[in-house]
Amino acid sequence: MSEIHSTHAEAQVAAHAHAHHDAHGHHKESFISKYIFSMDHKMIAKQFLITGIFMGLVGMSLSLFFRLQLGWPNQPMPILETFLGKWAKGGILDPNFYLAAVTIHGTILVFMVLTAGLSGTFSNLLIPLQIGARDMASPFLNMLSYWFFFLSSLIMMISLFVETGPAASGWVVYPPLSALPQASQGSGLGMTLWLLSIALFIVSVLMGGLNYITTVVNLRTKGMSMTRLPLTVWAFLITAILGLLSFPVLLAAALLLIFDRSFGTSFYLSDIFIGGQALEQTGGSPILYQHLFWFLGHPEVYIILVPSLGITSEVIAVNARKPIFGYRAMIASMLAIAFLSFIVWGHHMYITGMNPFLGSVFTFTTLLIAIPSAIKAFNYITTLWKGNIRFTPGMMFAIGVVSLFITGGLTGIILADSALDVNLHNTYFVVAHFHIVMGVASMFGTFAGVYHWFPKLFGRMMNNKLGYAHFWLTLISAYGVFFPMHYLGLAGVPRRYYNYTAFEIFNGFADLNTLISIFAIIGGLAQFIFVFNFIYSAIKGPKAPQNPWNSTTLEWTTPVEHIHGNWPGAIPEVHRWPYDYSLPDREEDFVPQTEPLKEEEKVHAHH
Amino acid sequence: MLMNILLAAVIILTIITAARLLKVFEFTSILRGRKPYDISESENNITALMFLLSMVGLFSMFIYFTNKYYNYKYLLPPAASIHGKEVESLLELNLIIITLAFFITQTLLLWFAYRYRYNKNRKAYHYAHNNTLEMVWTIIPAVVLSVLILKGLIVWNQTTRKSEDVDKVVFELYARQFDWTVRFAGKDKLLGDANYTMISGTNTLGLITPELVDEQLDALNKEKARLETEMNEKFPNKEKLAELKTAYRRLKRQLQLVMEFKKKSTEQPYQTAYDDIVFQDTIYLPVNKTIELHLRSQDVIHSAYMPHFRVHMYCVPGVKTGFTFTPTITTAEMQAKLGNPNFNYLLFCNNICGSAHYNMQLPIVIVTEEDFTKWLNSKKTVGEQIAEKQGTVSEVPSTEQISADSTKQTAMKIHL
């Protein structure tokens, strides 16, 4: 049934592409329709990636600004004044702007970079290419998805320049702090722009997600059954479903916050006395916001992480020249993680005054996530076992993902435990945990993807030597920044503090904070190696061969030069799963998905 | 300016040079008959070796930091409360397990990366799945986690259990931007009712007693009259007028609500605040007594974090939260134990609450029960303070009194 369905859909798309081709046969595409308002998934992928890299650099710079403050508290840093002007008079960072930098750093990295930059780029690039489709189900919606994202990023950037400063209540923007301009100057115009930006962002995610799901379900080529999909596509599919189910809840949360801020409602506000006045709002609950926020917020963690894990699966299998170990277990564990991610949000709220019984339930469900996560980690490790590993920069970053996923995931076991969270909540232990497992691991996944699929993005190869330098510097500085933070957290050092000079008990950590900042600066500078490599290779890099990594999947059967519709002739038919690497009775160490099964294989085929 | 131009020029030149160098490098590798992006086996071996070294590096880092920082010089001293002890041993168990898992998995990962580096004479082993193996690494984590979940829930239940102890000490922490106010419940062990509409320069907690209600009504009516005259003056500034109107609307509503308290002010809950004791400097608490902590916030979410006792709870405006614990070590004992005469227990805010979030702390002093009672008796109760003020109120107009009393609160812009 599903096969009939997909052939039908394919025929339709092919017919469409054909008609399209005829209609435009005589004139070239204009600059605007090709590069700006493009409806081609490959171009949109590049747009997402380049915007994501730009936003990534902005988010990273903000983190370096506040790391300068934390590493050398109250020491004038002229460079801060150069970049921030009135927010760092005399080179001393303003405490309000410190919080704003922390807030916007988090927002940009979580949403603009690791959601849009990661999913947007690779779902767009790889879904049609790997399932054998000529484009997304709705190219127009796809284009809109990018432009809403662009608008959202633009507004977030504008908010950095308003007089009262950008939003400064942490990336979680808990009301009442975020609702009342009297409570924080960032909660004025800056917060309005933040909410507007996020609302547009959610629209972008939803349009993108709908498209990814529809495309995977309907537009698979003949023979591409669900169990023959590369794990990347599975990961993008699951990510899109997560986003579709959870982002609307954030929109609701944001909308109610807008009402509270502008129209005097009291969804989140109650019994507040501020600026010498007793506010009218009564009956609302700030905790309601937290429930809504984290109902997105927790799945969001997996929206960020799962695509990285998908990319890692693919890159590790290709470069270890082995099938990914436990293909079905990998899918099952991703599904399990995705399902569980919806029933664990309360672990962010153990100490909000929530009923302790609820705390027990959330502890239980949260710790369950460790099981599918462990399966994934062991399966990656077993995939390396007896492999024949080529260390391309992509592969190095993929191994990095596994290492970071383990290191950061393990501390999650501690934070999931409500009894232990009491004392670690909002300390640097949390900062260390989520930066390693979700931030850096996903960033590494993104880099793995960029290095690995760069030939598909730009038809050229990236420079390996620069890739190595980028990898080692990034890995060392990532561990150098975030590993010591565990000890700060265990000592009870709170996050989002402008400085610790008023706390004698934390005096001993001054050196450590300086060390962390030094690693952060090294890591930050190392990213310019990547940016240089990226730009240089996109323009001047050596031309890529069609299948540079000897990979089995469909994207490497398309021509190097991008063409509209992806394949010049008919869409290839798929005959086998994507992981036929190093089959024992074969001369070559990979068999493309398009190669028909031989008679003897049909008998033994387990997939 | 010149410096900036120079700097920009240097950066641009560096980039151009780097790009040229890359081109040269690519040409030489093509001349040698290799593609510039090919990875030679020796290059691959070096990377593999680097991964092995990175394993050594990772473990050395772990050992170095743990050796240096995992001790009482840097970490929190031993937990100073009953449930804190349980939390501490649970944390230790967890840390041991995850450290073991960390070493095992990272060793396997990075060793395999090194061991199975590319070799042109070898072919990878096509090994797609193995049900037994996968069962093993499903079941082992599941069993370990069951133990952790069970132990965790037991400790959690102990931590959050409501105390039946009648001999408890009841006190309240009241948070606002950017300080804490402490209130002990007094002899009746009941905290008097409070409401945000009752907050004034002198009554920072918004306590409700008949006298305070009268005082508040008086102040609000004066403020109302002031706003009315101000609004009736000609205002060219629209914004200012809108601000005044909002303030007026809020004030009228506040008046209505306070009037409600006036009607009910003889009822029992409004009589319990008299023996409460309010102060703002150091928190004194007795050792080995059940402490019932109540938390309120005036403006935004704060969080009362007392890490030495493993106590941490949000203060949420409009919601009452709390935490019950029993301190076990006095400050003097802890100072002796740590050999640090300057040691002090601390309370600080641990949920982002605005620009001065980083400096919202209060020292806690744990003393013996006798010392605590002595200290408590030396403090004036709310009732005593009211009585004192009633004596002076006829001489001093209340507006001036408040502004004199509340120099700390200039930021609150109260014009009473």
Side-chain angles (χ1 to χ4, degrees), chain A residues 287-402:
Chain A
I287 303 302
L288 169 64
Y289 173 85
Q290 298 187 15
H291 280 293
L292 293 174
F293 181 86
W294 288 113
F295 192 85
L296 157 91
H298 202 79
E300 171 66 18
V301 172
Y302 292 100
I303 291 171
I304 288 172
L305 187 62
V306 168
S308 267
L309 295 178
I311 288 170
T312 303
S313 306
E314 182 67 19
V315 173
I316 283 191
V318 173
N319 290 296
R321 314 307 294 160
K322 275 188 66 186
I324 190 80
F325 184 80
Y327 173 80
R328 279 162 196 265
M330 287 303 238
I331 297 171
S333 54
M334 271 196 284
L335 286 169
I337 289 175
F339 170 73
L340 287 171
S341 77
F342 278 104
I343 51 171
V344 300
W345 78 90
H347 68 223
H348 299 269
M349 301 168 58
Y350 287 138
I351 59 160
T352 56
M354 195 167 74
N355 187 316
F357 176 70
L358 266 180
S360 315
V361 175
F362 283 120
T363 300
F364 177 70
T365 52
T366 306
L367 281 169
L368 284 185
I369 295 188
I371 298 169
S373 305
I375 295 174
K376 287 195 84 74
F378 281 115
N379 282 2
Y380 287 130
I381 293 172
T382 318
T383 308
L384 293 182
W385 179 69
K386 291 200 172 181
N388 209 11
I389 302 168
R390 271 184 331 212
F391 290 105
T392 64
M395 178 62 167
M396 292 158 76
F397 274 101
I399 293 173
V401 171
V402 181

Side-chain angles (χ1 to χ4, degrees), chain A residues 489-510:
Chain A
L490 288 171
V493 180
R495 67 195 283 211
R496 293 171 179 149
Y497 265 36
Y498 173 69
N499 66 40
Y500 300 92
T501 41
F503 287 83
E504 208 203 311
I505 52 168
F506 304 138
N507 277 352
F509 287 117

Side-chain angles (χ1 to χ4, degrees), chain A residues 183 277 280 326 329 351 356 387-389 391 407 422-423 425-426 464-465 487 497 540 581 583 586, chain B residues 23 37 43-44 66 106 116 118-119 122-123 125-126 128 134 156 177 249-250 305 312 314 349-350 361:
Chain A
Q277 294 181 6
E280 290 111 318
I351 59 160
N388 209 11
I389 302 168
F391 290 105
T407 309
V422 169
N423 217 50
H425 188 96
N426 271 349
N464 286 335
K465 299 274 192 305
Y487 300 88
Y497 265 36
K540 292 244 171 178
Y581 289 103
L583 284 175
R586 292 285 192 128
Chain B
K23 260 286 143 250
Y37 47 82
E43 214 176 348
N44 207 56
T66 306
Q106 299 280 8
Y116 299 107
Y118 179 78
N119 177 339
R122 198 160 51 84
K123 199 170 177 182
Y125 173 38
H126 184 92
E134 286 174 80
W156 176 242
Q177 290 178 324
R249 197 181 67 229
R250 285 173 177 163
Y305 186 35
H312 195 185
Y314 278 17
C349 180
N350 196 359
Q361 55 170 320

Side-chain angles (χ1 to χ4, degrees), chain A residues 545-559:
Chain A
Q546 194 184 20
N547 188 358
W549 318 122
N550 290 340
S551 185
T552 59
T553 39
L554 285 183
E555 76 270 30
W556 306 105
T557 62
T558 61

Side-chain angles (χ1 to χ4, degrees), chain B residues 81-96:
Chain B
S81 65
I82 292 176
H83 80 272
K85 282 266 165 260
E86 304 290 326
V87 170
E88 209 173 21
S89 62
L90 178 68
L91 180 66
E92 263 160 29
L93 174 73
N94 270 265
L95 283 173
I96 290 168

